[in-house]
Amino acid sequence: MLFELNRASRAEILAEARQIAGLALPMMVAQIAQVATSFVDTVMAGRVGTDDLAAVSLGASVFITAYVTLMGVVAALNPILSHHLGSRDQRAFSHDAAQGLWFGLILGIVGGGLMLALEAPLRHWLHLPPDVTDKVMLFITGAAIGMPAAMIHRALHAYASSLGHPKAIMVVSLLALALNVPLNYILIHGLFGMPKMGGAGCGWATGIAFWFNCLALLAYVSWHRNFRGHRILSGLAAPDWRRFLAFLKLGVPIGLSFFVEVSLFSFIALLIAELGTVVVATHQSVLNFSSLIYMLPQSVATALSVRVGHHAGAGDYKAARFISGVGMLMGLAMAGGAMLLVLVLREPIMWMYSTDPRVIAMGTTLLLFAAVYQLTDAAQTVASGALRGYKLTAVPMLIHITSFWMVGLGLGMLLGLTDWIVPRMGIYGFWTALVISLTVAGLLLTYYLARASHKRLHRDQGILL
């Protein structure tokens, strides 16, 4: 049986599931809070008007693509720090944790600059009314200002989670979400002397919330007693470019994996812009809700990168393989529940986003696609997280490129925008390709995790395969 779970007792599986859940649950709440920021943006912009919702959709597509890609690069710190703790190398842990702050800052500045540089070509490429395009650009500018803070926060996230203290991340993320709501309202409607930005104000609220998130988490880990033996600022020194190269070697494949997945959704949003604001707004609404429930398997994946990293760093590959199997079961169980939720509550879900009957009608159909891919999306997400714990990132990157760009985006364009295979399906052709691409990724990554963990287990036992 996959991962030899049939050899473990029910008590052993439940005990490990509790360990994973104890780490994953606070991170899940924190990640949902962060994604809920986008949910709040979408809902509040949708109440202003369909044009504002479309502007937030397109601006958020650019921002999320940059944010998630760079977040993936910084995610290299999770297995690196976990391996140091597993091998009991405290000096290396302290040094790399502190260098992670510099690493996040530099990446964030680069990412924000790239977002700003994209504004001019996007303005010429988007075929939308000028006022909608202006709001897209204003959204991107505000979000770009928060990018350095967002990446420092992810470095702090890796530091706190590797030490097994994810509650700090959860508390600060919830506070940032609470701050985002009034900021959105003030900037959308121009209250208290602020400019009236409409939907674009959501981008500026996001940038401000990221700076709050970063500074509040830094203060928390600097003074709370749980981090007394591992003060991150005590090891802060000048930037160590040699370590940055090591971070990049592991992190770039992770970042590219994240990029090809998120860019699949973002490129679809840009490709369907010519189909009208109703289609764009509906796509964004369904994608936004899907991103919320995606945090269930994603939290398990993040916990696995830490749990597997600890045991792989200590050379205990039997435990690392067992943890991977338990995490896979947990992720699939959560995804099954999410699938039923979406199937039953499709129409109420869409009413949260818009009162436009055209958006609601199209959205309830697209949510069927979102329900179908929950299981395979969970499988590829959890497998990727476990593989990061093993420091295996190159092959998953290639699998993601093949699945998401060649199958998902390529097939989506053929089905959605051409008559080459079937009569043009529009937005439904893209979502059909999404289901197929996530299925391919789920099968390939699960197989690779089972094979790679099996090889390391037997190599550790002195068995040549």
Side-chain angles (χ1 to χ4, degrees):
M1 183 181 176
L2 198 62
F3 305 110
E4 284 84 35
L5 290 178
N6 59 330
R7 300 180 185 179
S9 68
R10 181 181 178 184
E12 290 173 323
I13 293 175
L14 289 175
E16 180 53 42
R18 283 192 291 269
Q19 290 282 338
I20 295 173
L23 190 57
L25 185 59
M27 287 194 286
M28 180 184 71
V29 174
Q31 289 172 321
I32 289 177
Q34 290 166 15
V35 174
T37 299
S38 179
F39 170 79
V40 169
D41 291 351
T42 305
V43 170
M44 294 183 74
R47 297 302 173 187
V48 177
T50 301
D51 284 352
D52 285 88
L53 179 55
V56 169
S57 168
L58 294 169
S61 295
V62 174
F63 163 66
I64 292 297
T65 300
Y67 171 68
V68 172
T69 301
L70 296 178
M71 181 182 74
V73 178
V74 180
L77 294 170
N78 283 81
I80 288 172
L81 296 178
S82 296
H83 274 246
H84 288 328
L85 290 174
S87 61
R88 301 184 183 278
D89 192 341
Q90 179 59 45
R91 182 176 180 181
F93 173 84
S94 298
H95 180 72
D96 281 356
Q99 287 300 313
L101 299 179
W102 287 115
F103 187 62
L105 174 63
I106 293 169
L107 281 183
I109 292 172
V110 171
L114 288 175
M115 287 176 61
L116 295 175
L118 280 173
E119 288 187 8
L122 276 175
R123 186 177 289 276
H124 292 288
W125 190 80
L126 293 175
H127 301 289
L128 292 170
D131 59 327
V132 177
T133 302
D134 289 341
K135 289 179 180 178
V136 173
M137 301 306 134
L138 189 57
F139 181 103
I140 292 173
T141 301
I145 291 173
M147 189 63 75
M151 292 304 106
I152 297 173
H153 174 265
R154 295 308 302 188
L156 292 166
H157 184 293
Y159 160 75
S161 60
S162 65
L163 287 170
H165 298 303
K167 289 184 180 178
I169 305 166
M170 177 185 71
V171 170
V172 172
S173 296
L174 289 172
L175 291 173
L177 174 61
L179 175 65
N180 184 254
V181 176
L183 281 176
N184 270 351
Y185 195 80
I186 290 168
L187 294 172
I188 286 173
H189 300 286
L191 304 180
F192 306 113
M194 301 300 292
K196 185 177 180 180
M197 299 184 185
C202 297
W204 285 82
T206 296
I208 296 169
F210 268 129
W211 277 105
F212 170 83
N213 215 355
C214 166
L215 296 175
L217 185 56
L218 179 60
Y220 193 115
V221 301
S222 296
W223 288 301
H224 197 277
R225 63 180 180 274
N226 286 342
F227 301 90
R228 186 172 298 152
H230 305 275
R231 295 298 188 202
I232 190 169
L233 292 179
S234 65
L236 192 62
D240 185 344
W241 300 98
R242 180 183 57 84
R243 291 307 297 156
F244 293 170
L245 291 176
F247 298 162
L248 288 171
K249 182 178 180 181
L250 185 63
V252 167
I254 302 174
L256 286 175
S257 291
F258 281 24
F259 171 73
V260 295
E261 182 173 2
V262 72
S263 66
L264 171 61
F265 297 96
S266 298
F267 287 162
I268 289 173
L270 297 174
L271 287 169
I272 63 174
E274 64 184 47
L275 302 179
T277 56
V278 171
V279 174
V280 173
T282 306
H283 170 78
Q284 173 63 18
S285 300
V286 176
L287 180 58
N288 181 262
F289 184 80
S290 182
S291 299
L292 278 174
I293 55 180
Y294 173 74
M295 291 302 103
L296 297 172
Q298 179 61 31
S299 64
V300 175
T302 305
L304 285 187
S305 70
V306 173
R307 293 281 297 157
V308 172
H310 281 165
H311 289 279
D316 188 353
Y317 290 105
K318 181 178 180 180
R321 180 173 166 84
F322 173 68
I323 291 166
S324 300
V326 175
M328 183 65 71
L329 286 179
M330 292 177 66
L332 292 175
M334 289 179 174
M339 179 175 66
L340 293 175
L341 173 71
V342 174
L343 289 173
V344 173
L345 299 176
R346 287 182 296 140
E347 191 165 334
I349 289 169
M350 289 310 303
W351 273 105
M352 291 190 301
Y353 287 94
S354 178
T355 56
D356 189 329
R358 298 169 298 172
V359 173
I360 294 170
M362 184 181 295
T364 53
T365 301
L366 293 184
L367 280 171
L368 288 174
F369 291 90
V372 168
Y373 68 57
Q374 289 305 309
L375 291 174
T376 51
D377 195 18
Q380 68 90 13
T381 301
V382 172
S384 296
L387 287 164
R388 289 196 294 273
Y390 282 106
K391 291 187 176 181
L392 295 173
T393 59
V395 172
M397 175 191 68
L398 296 176
I399 290 174
H400 280 127
I401 291 173
T402 302
S403 302
F404 296 141
W405 275 358
M406 295 179 64
V407 179
L409 191 58
L411 181 61
M413 291 174 67
L414 290 175
L415 295 176
L417 302 177
T418 74
D419 301 319
W420 292 4
I421 300 177
V422 294
R424 185 177 307 190
M425 297 172 66
I427 185 63
Y428 303 110
F430 282 103
W431 280 77
T432 299
L434 283 179
V435 173
I436 296 171
S437 65
L438 288 167
T439 300
V440 171
L443 293 173
L444 291 177
L445 284 165
T446 301
Y447 171 75
Y448 179 62
L449 172 61
R451 184 170 178 268
S453 61
H454 186 261
K455 277 189 172 183
R456 276 156 181 74
L457 174 62
H458 283 74
R459 191 180 302 154
D460 184 52
Q461 295 173 344
I463 302 173
L464 298 178
L465 297 178

